[in-house]
Amino acid sequence: MLSEKSRPIIEATLPLVGERLGSITPNFYSRLFAAHPELLDGLFSSANQRNGEQQKALAGSIAAFASALVANPDLIPETMLSRIANKHTSLGITEDQYDIVYKYLFEAIAEELADVITAEIAEAWTEVYWLMANALIKIEKGLYARQANDKMWMPWKVVEKNPAGTGAMTFVLEPADDTPVTLARPGQFVSVKVQLPDGLRQVRQYSLSADVDSTDRRVFTTKLDDGGEVSPVLHRNVQVGDVLELSNPYGDVTLEEGDTPVVFATAGIGCTPSASALRSLVRQGSSREVMVLHAEKNLEAWALRDQIINDIEKLDGANLKLWLEEPAEGASTGFMSLQDVELPADASVYVCGPLPFMKSIRSQAIDAGIPATKIHYEVFGPDLWLASAS
């Protein structure tokens, strides 16, 4: 909990710190990578460093955590921390790295706030940092302990590489050694590490799109035009027979067990976690009411279209509603809207797609009477709304 001594200081300085985080975080990363350039190889995304998204992510998480502590000093924002911890463990973040981050972050804070910082302000923000860090360390230790092995990266052999819609590709992999395999849950993701042409290793998370309940297969689907560096290597360079490094499965936005209705609202490549959930429901012989809502540019661009439609047909309680930007028979034209969709009152809603889409659908679902606690979403890549909407 945030101390009574620190709370008024954080409350008073939060606007100023928030205003200057845009300069604090680049300063921090400059210091960090100057001292530890090895962190750019296989941990931090060089693409997100160049476009500033990583800086926004750090700034957003710190500001959101501090704001939550000011509003409820006795409570830790568990949903926000759980999502960050799952991303951290999928990258292999270790406890000692929090000391490294603290050193260079607070050097940057001291420099950027030199005109106003006092010992009391530095002490209060140090308390906020370690409250957040220690909470994350505790969650991450638990996540690591749940895995079937104690390794960060495991070799998996590509056994299939199949087109999955315009610009999308599905990769099917099998274990390349005898490391025990952790069973995944529908909605979880794995990190995939590849080597770029310049020799730098980079990592990206991909939702598992099928067969999550298997110990001898990993299946994920990627979109080529995502602006990153990993997907182009997978699409253009990786071939059947190659071996990739994969993490254990992580992610806390997973299909809840039970018999209540489920709504999947997705757009674009955001359909991948719902595809794994549908496949899992089929394998269970589920009789749950399932509503699949998907938005896409056109039918050809819909990744995993055949898999999703076939699985819907195998579920007695499942139905599909489709929105396409380009007119087509059997689909609504334009962007997804819940205005004319009757959502089951007790449904759990899972949303995945571009950030503006998720914000819009989440708001529409709340307006339709779905409690915010029953609306689940996953964000891949840094974003500020991840924390603030929780």
Side-chain angles (χ1 to χ4, degrees):
M1 64 179 65
L2 185 63
S3 69
E4 288 299 321
K5 178 183 178 182
S6 294
R7 183 183 180 187
I9 297 174
I10 297 300
E11 188 170 14
T13 58
L14 184 56
L16 176 62
V17 172
E19 177 185 318
R20 298 196 186 180
L21 275 174
S23 57
I24 291 172
T25 49
N27 187 321
F28 155 68
Y29 280 114
S30 176
R31 292 171 180 273
L32 175 68
F33 295 135
H36 296 276
E38 72 278 4
L39 295 178
L40 277 170
D41 183 28
L43 184 58
F44 285 93
S45 166
S46 57
N48 286 335
Q49 286 297 316
R50 287 194 298 270
N51 63 26
E53 292 301 311
Q54 193 71 53
Q55 291 90 327
K56 292 179 183 178
L58 177 66
S61 63
I62 293 173
F65 185 79
S67 297
L69 288 181
V70 168
N72 297 285
D74 295 332
L75 297 176
I76 295 292
E78 294 181 359
T79 299
M80 168 192 167
L81 293 179
S82 177
R83 293 178 185 174
I84 294 173
N86 273 275
K87 294 294 175 65
H88 280 183
T89 46
S90 77
L91 293 169
I93 297 295
T94 56
E95 184 174 349
D96 62 294
Q97 288 171 334
Y98 284 94
D99 291 293
I100 296 173
V101 169
Y102 172 77
K103 170 179 170 59
Y104 297 107
L105 178 60
F106 275 76
E107 284 182 4
I109 289 174
E111 180 173 310
E112 297 296 334
L113 299 181
D115 56 331
V116 296
I117 199 165
T118 64
E120 290 76 15
I121 292 174
E123 182 180 347
W125 280 96
T126 294
E127 181 181 346
V128 169
Y129 175 83
W130 283 111
L131 281 172
M132 184 174 180
N134 287 327
L136 286 171
I137 289 168
K138 181 179 179 180
I139 298 171
E140 288 159 16
K141 284 182 176 179
L143 292 173
Y144 285 132
R146 293 177 195 169
Q147 304 302 325
N149 59 74
D150 59 359
K151 295 184 179 180
M152 179 56 221
W153 299 104
M154 288 134 284
W156 287 75
K157 184 178 180 179
V158 178
V159 295
E160 294 181 35
K161 180 182 178 182
N162 303 314
T166 306
M169 194 75 68
T170 292
F171 294 82
V172 181
L173 302 93
E174 295 178 352
D177 67 6
D178 58 358
T179 301
V181 175
T182 301
L183 277 176
R185 290 176 290 165
Q188 288 195 306
F189 55 83
V190 294
S191 286
V192 180
K193 183 189 291 186
V194 302
Q195 188 170 44
L196 303 185
D198 63 4
L200 191 69
R201 293 174 300 172
Q202 289 286 274
V203 177
R204 185 181 172 103
Q205 290 93 17
Y206 294 105
S207 293
L208 296 169
S209 53
D211 300 346
V212 294
D213 51 358
S214 171
T215 59
D216 58 7
R217 284 164 67 93
R218 289 281 192 247
V219 183
F220 62 87
T221 304
T222 78
K223 193 79 170 178
L224 179 60
D225 57 348
D226 63 358
E229 294 179 314
V230 177
S231 291
V233 172
L234 290 171
H235 281 239
R236 297 166 182 159
N237 300 356
V238 172
Q239 303 300 327
V240 171
D242 290 346
V243 174
L244 296 175
E245 291 184 277
L246 268 62
S247 74
N248 285 305
Y250 291 98
D252 63 343
V253 182
T254 59
L255 180 63
E256 297 175 348
E257 296 181 358
D259 55 8
T260 55
V262 180
V263 176
F264 300 111
T266 61
I269 197 64
C271 67
T272 52
S274 66
S276 73
L278 286 168
R279 177 58 53 87
S280 182
L281 290 170
V282 169
R283 291 193 172 190
Q284 295 169 16
S286 175
S287 59
R288 295 174 77 168
E289 179 182 355
V290 179
M291 181 180 292
V292 179
L293 313 175
H294 184 66
E296 194 62 74
K297 181 178 181 180
N298 53 49
L299 285 176
E300 291 70 28
W302 184 6
L304 302 171
R305 177 179 60 174
D306 291 343
Q307 175 184 322
I308 291 172
I309 290 176
N310 289 338
D311 285 344
I312 289 173
E313 291 176 348
K314 293 174 183 177
L315 293 169
D316 292 337
N319 62 84
L320 168 69
K321 184 169 177 56
L322 187 63
W323 286 261
L324 299 175
E325 294 179 40
E326 299 177 5
E329 185 178 353
S332 298
T333 303
F335 299 110
M336 184 184 296
S337 170
L338 303 184
Q339 183 174 356
D340 298 322
V341 178
E342 188 174 346
L343 300 176
D346 55 345
S348 293
V349 179
Y350 296 85
V351 187
C352 191
L355 187 57
F357 167 83
M358 291 196 294
K359 295 174 73 172
S360 173
I361 296 303
R362 181 177 184 271
S363 296
Q364 292 181 53
I366 291 173
D367 291 343
I370 302 296
T373 55
K374 302 266 298 183
I375 304 172
H376 313 279
Y377 56 90
E378 181 64 273
V379 179
F380 288 88
D383 98 292
L384 307 184
W385 179 71
L386 172 69
S388 61
S390 302

